Structures are given as structure tokens and as C-alpha cells.
Amino acid sequence: MKKALSVALALCMMFLFSCSSGDKTVAAPSNGAEVEKESAASLIDTAGFGYDVDLVGLSSTLVYAQVYDMMVYPEKYIGKSVRICGMFEVYSNNLGIYFACVVPDALACCTQGIEFDLEGEHVYPEDYPEIGELITVSGTFNTYLENGMTYAQLQGAKLE
Amino acid sequence: MALLTCENVTLGYDGKKIIESLSFTIEKGDYLCIVGENGSGKTTLMKAVLGLKSPVSGKISYGEGLKQSRIGYLPQQTIVQKDFPASVYEIILSGCQNRLGFRPFYGKAEKEIALRNIEKLGLTELKTRCYRELSGGQQQRVLLARALCAATSMILLDEPVTGLDPAVTAEFYGIINDLNKKDKMTVVMISHDVNVSLKYADKILHIGKELFFGTKDEYISSAVFSELNKGGESNG
Amino acid sequence: MADIINKLADSFQFDIVRYALIVGVLIALCSSLFGVTLVLKRFSFIGDGLSHVAFGAIAIATVLNITDNMPLVLFITVISAVLLLRTGQNAKIRGDAAIAMISVGSLAVGYLLMNVFSTSGNLSGDVCSTLFGSYSILTLTESKVWLCIALSSAVILIYVFFYNRIFSVTFDENFAKATGVRASLYNLLIAVIIAVIIVLAMNLVGSLLISALVIFPALSAMRVFKSFKSVTVCSAVLSVVCAVIGMLVSIAGGTPVGATIVAVDIVAFIIFSVIGLCLRRSR
């Protein structure tokens, strides 16, 4: 009895699903074209850009940890192309103005950031985003010495 | 030569003497029951024999190839153990620990000893069962099998039937009696029940305000025993 | 769904993720093995107390500006473990209040020291990370990675080698002693190893959540399995699986690592409890 019931139930479900998928296949052609366009676009996005360290689209936990690693072991990353998405921040002291892209950690109680130096001539504040604005910046990772301390920086940076 | 000899042994805790100048011997094949009031020091004496506690003074010596570590011990169960996730086989096999020496794992010999004792105590069907699912009587049988694995010729039992119902108690005493009479295992048992002790034991060691050591018959006709009975009569 | 898988696949290109998974698996493995013993000996609270002592030790190391703090922390925690667990069963009776005092004291004094003396730019962040392990496993220095791998492997080997003795000392210390096992020595070994495990596990889940990592897999396994060996194996496998799932979820989803792993452990515990209930009903 139980077996017969479960078989009957299975058959019903199969019937239901085949019906609905039938509808879907009828409708598919109109959606299909759009889907194709989308996947083509994403292919263009990722192909051929290939950053050594691409932090865009990754979780805050991972991005934070990876930036931390870059600050603690800068030697590993010198010369590598880096792309990072975060908030725009500006720091200034008597030696100048510094621009950084900062990332908060999962609990939002700490932030890590990378300083970047835009390619070419730029003037602050006209050529720069708003403070706190979400930006994506890419450049070549390098370190420089200032006042006896080593700092990390993305050089030849571009904003997207 | 005696299996176990206690000479003028004094036992105490924190400067207080519980047992003073106790002397007795145990021969191979003896069935000794240790009786006495609560807190008189029976378990302390057993621990001293096993080397878990040092006597304040006096000497405990072992003969006829008996090593202190080769005495089988059936201690009182702790609450932790009653709820322990282990199979009957694992627990009984752990009794062979003292045969390992420096080896980390049990060999075929140890496993055979364990299986033999499992069969002897009728535990074969329960071998893979979890210890905490067993009844009180079954658990005691498992611990007895474990003690047998550790023992070469002598087992010490500390009030083994506490909390068991009468039928199971009688069965358990029967098993111990068989071990003593048929397998020639020397049995030393702490018991609260004087009647049972008189039924099965050859020798009695009474620990309390007065110390007595002797055969069963000597005990019955001793002053200590009549004191015990007097107390019983006045209460009853 | 495909999006998440892509995200994870991308994550694996980073060194820190690979290291985190290797070290995390090893830590989860050794902590669960000894977790069974800890739970059965009713020493769970000692694990908690020791983790607070370790936090205090880290505070001291930070104040003294020691960059690689693990050796000092290990030393202080091991000494504390030995003192607390020294006499096996006796310690439990005597040390209940002592452990509470030491545990809370270390936490308070540690935090105070860090506030007063610390040169770090972000104090609450450091404290937060040490206590909750939000990303510590992903930010291990190279020397820490090797130390963790070496220590966890040693712990696992010791466990396997001394498995039978650990079992007998856990099940019945009196019997073990009576039959010639040097129980006090093994208790000492267990105490030292638990201290080591706690210091290692702080890197994975943080100081406050260590107890969960150590206890939950053991408790879950005990709901379902009936022999010590199967409980141990299940506890180990479960702990590793939960740790991996927890790490992957936090990497993909941006949640703090420590809390995520513990959350997965809790879910596993609930699942196993239900399974255990069903198995008991059906018997």
C-alpha cells in the first residue's frame, strides 16, 4: 500500500514538473538571447584583464585579510598588479596629502587600506571622488621610504 | 609463601590514624572478606595494598610472583563512568593495559585474554553494546571482566554489589565464588553484608574499633562478632 | 549559487586562504581529539579558563612589544594548565573558584594592560580579533603557520600513540593507577597538550570561542555513537568538516571566521541530537 502511494506520488510530481518545464521551453527563445548577451559581457569583463591580485567581488573578510597580508609582507607583492574596491579616504600631514582605498573587516571594527597614486597629473579635490565614496582602483604595488618608514602604495593607479 | 603479607601496617589521613598496627596474610586461593563499619578504613586499606596510598608505617609485601600492578581491582563506580560512551569490549580490553609495557597498541594476546574473560562472564552478546546502556548488574560484570584481564592471581573488589537488586546480587556473588573455587583466583572483597561474607568467605578481616583477622569459624566465635550481633539485636 | 562557487574558486588563488585551510583543519583535528577527553573528565571549564589566561599572556606580549608572541603565550599557558590540572581529579574539587578567579582576572588585567601600554593604532580591533578570531586564521605570519603545523601534527601523533592510555586514564583513573599506569604523568601530558591546543585554537576561533571548538564536536558525536573509538573518530571528522565549511562560508560571505565556525558546530550538534533521538526511539 505504502509503496503504491509513493510511486503514485512520484509519477504525479514528474508529470507536474514536465508540464511546467514544457512552458519554460516554449518561452525560452525570447529569454535566451538576453542570457547570451549577459554571459558575453561578463566574458569581456574578465578575459584579458587578469590582475595578479584582484580583490573585487570578494568578501570583506578575505579582502581585509589579504590587504593585511600585503601590509605585513610587502616584499611578496612588489611589482604585482592589484585591483581593489573600497571606500575613498584622504589623509594629510605636513608632508602632503595621501589618498587611500580602505576596507573594513567583517565586524567593521577595523579598517585596512592601501594608498594609491593616480597616474598623470591630478588635483584634489576636483579630480578625486567624494570621501567615503565606493571606488575601484587598480595599480602596481610598490613600497617607498619616507621619514625612515616604509609605506606601501599602488602606483600608476587608475580609478574605474 | 603468602601471596600478600601486611606487617604492622598503620594507615591514616592528614595526621589522623584510621588503622593501627594491622597484620594479616593472604594465601593463594583464599577468599577474604573485609568487613567493618562505614568509614573504618576498608577502602583505604585496599588502596594501600594496590599502591594507591602509602601506609604511614609498616610493610606490605607480595609473594609467589604477584606484582602490585597485577592485582585486579574492581573499584566503586563513579558517576562519570556510568555515562561513559565506550563499548563493553573497549572497557574490558583496557584491563590489559598493564601487560603492554612500552607498546602503544594491544596485540593478539591481549585481545584473546579480553575475549576469554568476556565469555567467562557471559558478556559475549553485549560485547559491542554501549556501557551506559547496560543495567547496574551488567556494568559490574563488565568491570569484573576488566579486573580479571588485569589480574594474574588476585582480585580486589570494593563493595561490588552496591545498588544492585537481590537477584542480581546473588548471581554476582555466585560468579565470584566460581572464580575462587573453580579458577583458583584469590578473592579479597570489601562487603557491608556480614551474612554474605560468612556464606562465601574462608577468612574474615574485621576493621573497626577492634581489629580481627582469622577464619570464618574463628570470627563467628569471636568477641567482635558477638558485639556486632548485640548491636543488631538491640536495634531490631 | 554559481556566483558563490566562483567567489570561492577565486579565493583559492590567495596564499592566505590555502594556509588558513591547512592550519585550520589541523587545529580542528587536534582540538576535537582531546575535546572528547576534556568533556568526559568534566574539565570543559578549564579549557575556557586557560583561554583567558592565554589572552592575558598575549596582552603581556603586546605590552612588551614582542612581535612573535606565540612562544611566550605557550609557555605561560602551559604552566597555568599544569598548575590547574596537576592532580587530576583533586584539582577539580579544589580549583573551581581558583580557575574562575584566574580566568576573569587574566581577561581584565590583560585588557587593562593593553589599554594603558599598547602602541598599536587600533586597540579595539586587535582585542576584538584576539577574542573572537574574526580573521586571525587568515592573517598568520609565516613563522606562525609553521609553528601551528608542527605543533598540531605533534599533538595528533601523541594522541594516536598514547590513545589506549588516554582512554584508561579518562575512563577510570583509580583502576589505571592500580594496574601500574602512571596516571599522574598522563594527566600532566594531557594538561600540557590542552594548553598547546588552546593557544593554537585561539588563532582559529579566538579566545572566547575556544570552548565551543573543543566541546561541540565531542558532544555531537556522543549523541549518536556508542564506542569510544567511534566517538573520537566522529568528533574529529565532524570538527574538520565544520571548520572547513565555516571558513569557506566566512570567506565567501564576509562573516567573521571564528563565530561562523562555531555556528556551523552548533548546527551540527542540533542535527546529531535529532539523529540520536530518532535512533533511540527506533530501538
Side-chain angles (χ1 to χ4, degrees), chain A residues 56-123:
Chain A
V56 172
L58 298 174
S59 74
S60 53
T61 305
L62 185 53
V63 173
Y64 182 94
Q66 181 56 37
V67 172
Y68 184 99
D69 195 51
M70 287 162 76
M71 294 301 123
V72 173
Y73 291 110
E75 330 77 61
K76 285 201 290 184
Y77 299 93
I78 290 181
K80 297 230 160 98
S81 56
V82 175
R83 188 165 79 132
I84 178 172
C85 174
M87 293 188 297
F88 179 67
E89 275 297 331
V90 177
Y91 302 96
S92 58
N93 59 17
N94 53 352
L95 293 166
I97 299 183
Y98 306 90
F99 310 102
C101 179
V102 299
V103 185
D105 80 329
L107 292 169
C109 72
C110 325
T111 47
Q112 277 286 357
I114 308 185
E115 194 196 317
F116 63 89
D117 182 30
L118 286 180
E119 197 175 26
E121 290 295 318
H122 296 271
V123 177

Side-chain angles (χ1 to χ4, degrees), chain B residues 129-149:
Chain B
R129 287 277 298 277
C130 185
Y131 181 74
R132 60 184 169 195
E133 290 167 7
L134 301 180
S135 68
Q138 288 167 332
Q139 286 183 342
Q140 286 298 90
R141 264 193 290 158
V142 170
L143 296 184
L144 179 60
R146 181 184 64 161
L148 289 174
C149 285

Side-chain angles (χ1 to χ4, degrees), chain A residues 4-148:
Chain A
L5 267 176
S6 38
V7 169
L9 200 62
L11 281 172
C12 285
M13 290 177 83
M14 274 168 59
F15 183 67
L16 279 167
F17 279 121
S18 59
C19 283
S20 54
S21 57
D23 289 339
K24 283 195 184 133
T25 47
V26 166
S30 52
N31 290 337
E34 283 180 48
V35 173
E36 273 186 56
K37 261 198 251 168
E38 263 182 62
S39 50
S42 54
L43 276 173
I44 292 172
D45 274 343
T46 52
F49 271 132
Y51 294 93
D52 292 321
V53 182
D54 191 351
L55 298 174
V56 172
L58 298 174
S59 74
S60 53
T61 305
L62 185 53
V63 173
Y64 182 94
Q66 181 56 37
V67 172
Y68 184 99
D69 195 51
M70 287 162 76
M71 294 301 123
V72 173
Y73 291 110
E75 330 77 61
K76 285 201 290 184
Y77 299 93
I78 290 181
K80 297 230 160 98
S81 56
V82 175
R83 188 165 79 132
I84 178 172
C85 174
M87 293 188 297
F88 179 67
E89 275 297 331
V90 177
Y91 302 96
S92 58
N93 59 17
N94 53 352
L95 293 166
I97 299 183
Y98 306 90
F99 310 102
C101 179
V102 299
V103 185
D105 80 329
L107 292 169
C109 72
C110 325
T111 47
Q112 277 286 357
I114 308 185
E115 194 196 317
F116 63 89
D117 182 30
L118 286 180
E119 197 175 26
E121 290 295 318
H122 296 271
V123 177
Y124 181 74
E126 294 82 27
D127 299 325
Y128 286 87
E130 294 290 312
I131 292 182
E133 192 183 317
L134 211 62
I135 56 166
T136 303
V137 59
S138 52
T140 310
F141 188 88
N142 218 329
T143 54
Y144 65 92
L145 221 61
E146 189 171 277
N147 259 1

